[in-house]
Amino acid sequence: MASDQMLICSYLNLDFFGVYLSFITLLFVSFFILFWRSHMSRIEGFLICVSSVFSVLCFISNDMLLFWVTYELSILALVFCVLVGSPYSERFLAFWYLVGYVGSTSLPLLVSVLYVGVLGLSTSFVNNSANISGDFGFMWILFVILFATKVPLPPFHSWLPVVHAEASTFVSVCLSGFIMKLGIVGIYRFVLPGFSLSAGSLVLLVVYSSLVICSCLSELDTKRWLAYMSLGHIVVGVVGLFYGQDYVTEAPLYCLGHGFSASILFVLFLYLYESLGSRNWLSVSLSGRLGVAVIVILSLSLLTASSFPPSLNFFSEVFILNMSFFNMGLVLSYSLYLFVGGLVPVLALSYLLTSSGESFGSGVSTNSLLIVTVMYGVFAYLVVFFV
């Protein structure tokens, strides 16, 4: 009995980070089963459940090979789910993007895991962090690149918006809800024990993410818009990891808020698509058929995506900002990210509300409301920054 427990402990690690992220997966699976099982086929539901089970095992794995196997199985289930459940004509494009993404990262990661296992005489995360010397730092750099692609982080993110646009809503929810977090837990387990990013690297990452969020302003497709927003915001969860082990609990907290806000918006955009027959922001805002309840829920969801208080994202971002004062460049770049990341969803919300108001014959000026919204966003940002 004791030997069985030791064997389980050697392959599984029930630490705070893994258990907390596993809770995210279980939360989404419960949501699917309770509310959306009638909207998906049995095959699609089965594949999502398979992906969820292997994701949980991946989150709590304490072995590199087990991590690789469970991660690849969780993403492969969604690859086939794209073909089975997507209602869009370009689903084959999304399928090949996912296949290319899996193929370009899975084999190099497997080879790296086996190589590190030989060097450390074990594939255990704990043993390797202690046995591998600094002479093999290039392996950690390779891990950074591989998991930056798996999250994905800029500039390795180009495949995800295409997949989001052509995959079914349920696959998009899984990708934003817990698959992206598998890449973060990979950084936590593979990279952090032997590698750290400099403040300059973090500044470049945050600035690049701000530019990704700004690119949302040119997107009319709601799913692609949300995909870029999700990509820009997930950086906060990664940046929080490199502030030291004392602050690593903020990363899973932010991941929970990120997955929750993105998933709600994906479901709302599905509802709007089924109601209006379009995913275009112009069609949504000018339709004049949005009820008050839908507008309220959509408004709250967009405010949550912008990390508006009292959302989980708000507290995590403010905490990480407070921890950034050891480097002024990081403070300035992170402040830019907070401003842009909060302003873009608020601008989308203001456009949605003013356009809907004009459709109903409202006499409120669109430009006036946009100006007021921008001023309120600046005011809220300054309050958060100085308080």
Side-chain angles (χ1 to χ4, degrees):
M1 186 69 178
S3 60
D4 293 338
Q5 293 179 349
M6 291 292 294
L7 181 62
I8 294 176
C9 292
S10 63
Y11 286 98
L12 301 179
N13 184 12
L14 301 179
D15 60 350
F16 174 82
F17 203 93
V19 172
Y20 204 91
L21 292 179
S22 299
F23 172 74
I24 299 176
T25 305
L26 297 175
L27 183 66
F28 284 111
V29 172
S30 301
F31 176 80
F32 283 139
I33 294 175
L34 292 176
F35 300 104
W36 288 96
R37 59 183 177 182
S38 61
H39 292 74
M40 62 179 71
S41 64
R42 291 184 178 180
I43 297 178
E44 187 178 11
F46 172 76
L47 291 174
I48 289 177
C49 289
V50 169
S51 177
S52 304
V53 170
F54 285 114
S55 295
V56 171
L57 291 176
C58 186
F59 280 131
I60 61 177
S61 64
N62 192 39
D63 184 85
M64 291 184 174
L65 280 177
L66 178 62
F67 181 96
W68 181 85
V69 171
T70 53
Y71 181 90
E72 300 304 326
L73 289 176
S74 64
I75 193 67
L76 280 176
L78 293 184
V79 169
F80 290 105
C81 198
V82 169
L83 288 179
V84 173
S86 176
Y88 307 113
S89 59
E90 298 295 330
R91 61 183 180 274
F92 293 102
L93 176 64
F95 170 79
W96 286 114
Y97 262 84
L98 262 180
V99 169
Y101 148 72
V102 172
S104 62
T105 57
S106 61
L107 184 58
L109 181 59
L110 176 60
V111 173
S112 301
V113 165
L114 295 176
Y115 182 63
V116 171
V118 172
L119 295 179
L121 303 179
S122 171
T123 56
S124 171
F125 288 114
V126 177
N127 294 337
N128 279 317
S129 63
N131 293 337
I132 297 180
S133 64
D135 297 335
F136 300 96
F138 70 93
M139 291 303 305
W140 305 117
I141 297 176
L142 180 59
F143 283 142
V144 170
I145 296 175
L146 289 175
F147 285 107
T149 307
K150 287 182 176 297
V151 173
L153 297 176
F156 307 100
H157 64 282
S158 59
W159 63 272
L160 189 60
V162 177
V163 174
H164 271 304
E166 304 303 332
S168 67
T169 296
F170 307 110
V171 173
S172 296
V173 169
C174 292
L175 287 174
S176 294
F178 53 86
I179 293 298
M180 294 177 72
K181 282 65 179 180
L182 291 177
I184 293 180
V185 79
I187 294 176
Y188 175 70
R189 301 205 187 281
F190 281 82
V191 177
L192 282 186
F195 187 83
S196 62
L197 291 179
S198 64
S201 300
L202 294 177
V203 168
L204 291 177
L205 183 61
V206 173
V207 170
Y208 205 125
S209 298
S210 301
L211 297 177
V212 171
I213 294 177
C214 288
S215 66
C216 295
L217 297 174
S218 62
E219 287 293 338
L220 291 178
D221 187 290
T222 54
K223 289 191 71 176
R224 287 181 63 90
W225 179 88
L226 184 53
Y228 281 108
M229 281 295 301
S230 179
L231 284 169
H233 282 294
I234 196 62
V235 171
V236 177
V238 178
V239 171
L241 293 178
F242 291 95
Y243 283 170
Q245 293 293 327
D246 295 336
Y247 313 115
V248 78
T249 56
E250 294 301 316
L253 180 65
Y254 183 84
C255 288
L256 177 61
H258 174 273
F260 182 72
S261 60
S263 300
I264 288 180
L265 282 173
F266 274 122
V267 173
L268 283 174
F269 290 157
L270 172 63
Y271 171 80
L272 294 176
Y273 174 74
E274 292 180 345
S275 301
L276 307 176
S278 175
R279 297 189 330 209
N280 192 295
W281 273 114
L282 297 176
S283 300
V284 172
S285 59
L286 298 176
S287 65
R289 289 185 288 169
L290 298 181
V292 176
V294 175
I295 292 178
V296 170
I297 296 174
L298 186 58
S299 301
L300 293 176
S301 301
L302 286 171
L303 289 176
T304 303
S306 65
S307 301
F308 199 80
S311 64
L312 289 175
N313 297 358
F314 168 78
F315 294 106
S316 299
E317 289 184 352
V318 171
F319 182 85
I320 294 175
L321 174 63
N322 186 45
M323 295 297 105
S324 302
F325 280 91
F326 66 91
N327 183 278
M328 187 53 61
L330 188 57
V331 171
L332 294 177
S333 61
Y334 191 72
S335 300
L336 173 65
Y337 159 81
L338 289 177
F339 178 73
V340 174
L343 184 62
V344 171
V346 173
L347 284 175
L349 174 61
S350 63
Y351 174 75
L352 179 67
L353 293 178
T354 53
S355 299
S356 299
E358 290 176 353
S359 299
F360 288 111
S362 173
V364 180
S365 169
T366 301
N367 293 332
S368 299
L369 283 179
L370 282 174
I371 293 174
V372 171
T373 304
V374 172
M375 292 178 62
Y376 179 77
V378 173
F379 173 76
Y381 164 78
L382 292 176
V383 169
V384 171
F385 182 80
F386 288 107
V387 172

